[in-house]
Amino acid sequence: MIKLFTSRIFFSCILLCLFITVIAKAQVKEEGIIPRPVEMIKTNEVFTFTKSITIGTGAGISADNLTFFSAYFKSVAGYSLPLNHNINASVYLTIDSGSITQPEGYKLLVTAKQIKIVGHDEAGVFYGLQSMTQLLKATNGKVTVQGCTVTDYPRFAYRGMHLDVSRHFFKPEAIKKWIDLLALYKINTFHWHLTDDQGWRIEIKKYPLLQSISAYRDETIIGHKKDSPHKFDGQRYGGYYTQDEVKEIVKYATQRHITVIPEIEMPGHALAALAAYPQLGCTGGPYKAATYWGIFDDVYCAGNDETFTFLQNVMDEVLPLFPSKYIHIGGDECPKTKWKTCPKCQKRIRDEHLKDEKELQSYFIGRMEKYLNSKGRQIIGWDEILEGGLTPGATVMSWTGEEGGIAAAKQHHDAIMTPEKYVYLDYYQSLSPAEPLAGGGYTPLSKVYNYEPITNELSGDEAKYIKGVQANAWSEYMASPAQAERQLFPRMLALAEVAWSPKENKNYPDFLKRLRYQQPLLKKLNINAADVFDEITDSVTETADHQVALSLQTTLPGSKIYFTNDGSTPGLNSKAYTDAITIASSGTIKAAVFSSGKQQGRTYEKSFNIHKAIGKTVTLKNHPQGGFNPGNTFGLVNGIFGSKLYNDGQWYGFSGDDLEAVVDLGSAQSVSQLGINILKYHWQKMWEPTLLTFEVSTDGSNYTEVYRQTDFPDNGINAVRANIKTQQARYIRVKATNKGIIPPGEYIPGAKAWMMVDEIVVN
Ligand code: ACM
Ligand code: ZN
């Protein structure tokens, strides 16, 4: 049974939420462009299309600019609009770099009589057209555009979207469909991750085995990588893009003002290539394309000149296909294990007077950079290229965090921000247990939206080196185009706004309003976009009297949340949620959002386990780290157990460090059971402690050990519940010894083990 009452602490917050909801509801039918323009002034006029209307284009505007618009227009209107060069056409597009000063900028003027788009350049005209496309409204066979004046230009010159086609392969039609979407939302760079351990996806005529061997893997892991033992489907899987297909895709993108940057990954993530050409690895193989996801010790041999000949020959075929100034050479997650014992790599270190294997990585990147520079290209690499010193002209793509981008900018190197915590679209977007399999993190739409690429650590001058921002989509858990679309959309639209819109124009509730306006367009374009942003999200806080309070939120305008606390399914006859729910005893809250008398989205569910340590003071000797630092100690005693999703904000992670926690119950109490949950996923670098002890004390200085455990057999959650002799105790001390360094033969040997704990239970 759970007792409910109103908590005043939340009253003002709830009022604010209601206020926002009311505003959102009033404006929900208004038009909205994504990314939000610099300025949009609406008028009461409306432009109406008729079959006699033509589109006139001024000098320098290619018909390519209209390809997407024309096809989309025909699909909504049922007829086409002829193109001409008539300056008096009802829809007129022109370039005027004098009046529109910002590159890629445009002005869109819509009156009852005419639509006029003036661009700084052809790209500006194109983006004006994309805004106009988003404003098209079709009602009862009539196509209209709201009267307005839009003044617009981008915040960042680099606005990127990355796609991994190695872990799962997507056919050219899918790539083209998504390129249309990039263009529609003013993303101008497609970072195409073409090679990795699980498959080589670009035809290289000089190396036919890349097509016959490297493009395929024997089978694919089923389920999540963290599951153990791993299961496989037994199906050979693969494919590659022919050079003709690549050319076609690059042309398609170029027509839409999108630069395609290919990534040929090195020196790590190279297993698929090594499978075909084992002499390029340190041991000579044999190797096989990986059938599961991870980081593998076998990488290109940096001591073998043939490696460089191979990669340069590959580049000789790649460069003519991609006119981009930049070529991405990877550089991330390259273990140095094999280099350390390879005679050739060690000889290279000596010959080149390098300090260590990190400098050998720099040597590798630098040598390839020189080659690419000699062909007139610049390199981009993931932030690990900083490790052994940055090579002269390199651009850093900052993914492990923002630190790499900051360091690069401080060294006056260009950087692109793509921190995994904010913009990895392969991560979970909902914590619902019904959410399909995804990568490790939790990145809801709001988190992507609220990402700010220019951190305060950079001075104005240094900030100029941040060229832009990109979202990344690794395809381990995107086995089909539909699943990829569910991960990409609508989060990519949030990224588009981060990249394009002025910082001061950003506003999440307003973005959601415009996103809802965009939904019919996404549907018309047959995009399987996720709608989980309307689902219930929660926040759990501590009340003034140290109880647990649960707040529920939805962003769906005009909706209401109903909930139950007895395990039954919530319906319109259940209790209406108005205010934070105080949880006084163990049980499960189930809740659902209702609008127009119907449930919207999935049912929310959260279980609480109320025990003697709830809300008590916890003192930690070491701080939890990274993405597993909930930022306070309340989560260790909040009655909520971390789930197998491990990204739910409940787990406390210690990288290489031990746990020493003291719970002060406030007064001596009778204690008969002590517990803690330990998460063990070796395939996620999460290791059980080598020793766990519970100690009790009445005075906080003299402790008695009451329990110890060294074995944690379960893959997943190990729930330790130690029944001890009933005794009086005020202080409970929990110590858990970290595994330390991951041993050889395990996943990522030599790395620090994460020790993951949640909820110290006292009964
Ligand atoms: C990366 O996510 N390994 C760049
Ligand atoms: Zn080697």
Side-chain angles (χ1 to χ4, degrees), residues 14-83:
I14 297 299
L15 264 186
L16 183 68
C17 291
L18 281 175
F19 182 62
I20 290 168
T21 307
V22 167
I23 288 182
K25 189 180 178 185
Q27 298 188 351
V28 76
K29 290 217 155 51
E30 288 193 15
E31 290 75 8
I33 297 168
I34 292 178
R36 186 172 163 167
V38 171
E39 186 182 78
M40 178 172 183
I41 299 165
K42 291 174 190 168
T43 67
N44 291 328
E45 296 184 38
V46 172
F47 180 91
T48 304
F49 282 94
T50 63
K51 284 184 183 167
S52 62
I53 279 176
T54 61
I55 302 185
T57 57
I61 299 170
S62 145
D64 288 345
N65 260 2
L66 287 123
T67 311
F68 176 75
F69 169 78
S70 299
Y72 180 71
F73 183 87
K74 186 162 186 213
S75 77
V76 294
Y79 57 90
S80 300
L81 302 169
L83 301 188

Side-chain angles (χ1 to χ4, degrees), residues 281-282 300-304 338-339 342 344-345:
C282 288
Y300 290 116
C301 178
N304 183 355
K338 295 290 158 88
W339 288 359
C342 168
K344 282 187 255 178
C345 285

Side-chain angles (χ1 to χ4, degrees), residues 210-247:
L210 290 175
Q211 284 72 257
S212 58
I213 296 177
S214 306
Y216 296 89
R217 58 178 179 253
D218 289 346
E219 55 187 353
T220 302
I221 189 171
I222 300 172
H224 203 283
K225 183 184 75 171
K226 71 186 184 347
D227 297 340
S228 181
H230 286 164
K231 290 194 219 79
F232 295 89
D233 65 4
Q235 307 283 316
R236 182 171 137 94
Y237 178 93
Y240 64 92
Y241 305 99
T242 64
Q243 292 194 1
D244 283 343
E245 285 170 335
V246 170
K247 273 186 223 159

Side-chain angles (χ1 to χ4, degrees), residues 551-562:
S551 303
L552 303 176
Q553 301 97 27
T554 172
T555 56
L556 187 66
S559 67
K560 210 159 176 46
I561 296 174
Y562 293 86

Side-chain angles (χ1 to χ4, degrees), residues 517-529:
Y517 172 79
Q518 299 274 335
Q519 276 169 324
L521 172 60
L522 291 170
K523 210 172 177 145
K524 186 93 193 157
L525 295 172
N526 198 22
I527 295 292
N528 180 38

